[in-house]
Amino acid sequence: KITTAPAKKKVMVIGVGLAGMEAARVAALRGHSVALYEQGTELGGQLQIAARAPGRQDMAEPVRYYQRQFELLNVDVHLGTEVTPEMVEREAPDAVIVATGGLAARGSFPGSDHPNVVLARDVLSGKAEVGKKVVVHSMDRSTEGFTTADFLLESGHEVELLIPHPIAPLAS
């Protein structure tokens, strides 16, 4: 149960992925004055990137919900805004919630440091361009590798998907 806070505070939330949006919503529901900041130009963070893959468009659906909630709760949303220490000092919030997400893991295989080796999220977001023939190495066997391969195939690329062999032998 979300209860009203005993004292209204000024809350600054940095990052508009799922965690940042939910933190802003709950803080506002508790009666705090909330400002939400994002360096990028759209709400959703990794949800928006994942939604670019074929068949995953619904991944961005929560963003519509949060946009409406922010309107109803008077959350002050600042997109395209880099938060600096000076800004935090100037705004003087009572609390700062940092929800900027994690960093993508880079592979550690021979050649992984070459300039033609890019992150799947950079391909999906359009930050990285790839050639006609692409090898996708799904290091952790997660959906990110598979959806990136689908995205590239739909874009006309030739794709080879590499998936690490299971550590444990398969039962016979």
Side-chain angles (χ1 to χ4, degrees):
K1 184 176 176 184
I2 298 172
T3 59
T4 303
K8 182 177 178 176
K9 295 184 177 182
K10 184 176 181 180
V11 177
M12 175 184 271
V13 179
I14 305 168
V16 296
L18 197 54
M21 291 189 299
E22 180 65 0
R25 184 187 76 86
V26 171
L29 282 171
R30 297 204 63 216
H32 299 302
S33 173
V34 180
L36 180 60
Y37 294 86
E38 169 60 28
Q39 188 173 353
T41 58
E42 62 185 359
L43 292 174
Q46 295 299 316
L47 290 174
Q48 295 286 15
I49 294 172
R52 288 183 175 94
R56 306 221 23 170
Q57 293 77 11
D58 60 340
M59 294 289 292
E61 192 59 29
V63 175
R64 286 181 3 149
Y65 165 77
Y66 283 104
Q67 284 173 321
R68 182 66 180 135
Q69 290 299 304
F70 297 156
E71 291 169 12
L72 294 172
L73 298 168
N74 295 313
V75 171
D76 194 11
V77 178
H78 302 270
L79 298 176
T81 305
E82 182 179 355
V83 176
T84 63
E86 296 78 24
M87 179 188 289
V88 175
E89 282 184 35
R90 185 177 62 250
E91 295 296 321
D94 298 303
V96 177
I97 299 171
V98 179
T100 54
L103 298 174
R106 292 206 56 94
S108 59
F109 50 87
S112 63
D113 58 344
H114 292 187
N116 64 336
V117 177
V118 297
L119 297 171
R121 64 175 61 172
D122 290 343
V123 171
L124 291 170
S125 67
K127 291 180 183 175
E129 292 185 30
V130 296
K132 178 74 175 155
K133 295 182 179 184
V134 181
V135 174
V136 175
H137 185 215
S138 181
M139 296 182 303
D140 60 359
R141 297 184 211 102
S142 71
T143 58
E144 185 176 39
F146 298 105
T147 56
T148 303
D150 283 344
F151 173 80
L152 290 167
L153 285 167
E154 276 201 2
S155 300
H157 297 269
E158 295 176 34
V159 179
E160 184 173 346
L161 179 61
L162 301 180
I163 304 166
H165 189 275
I167 296 173
L170 298 174
S172 49

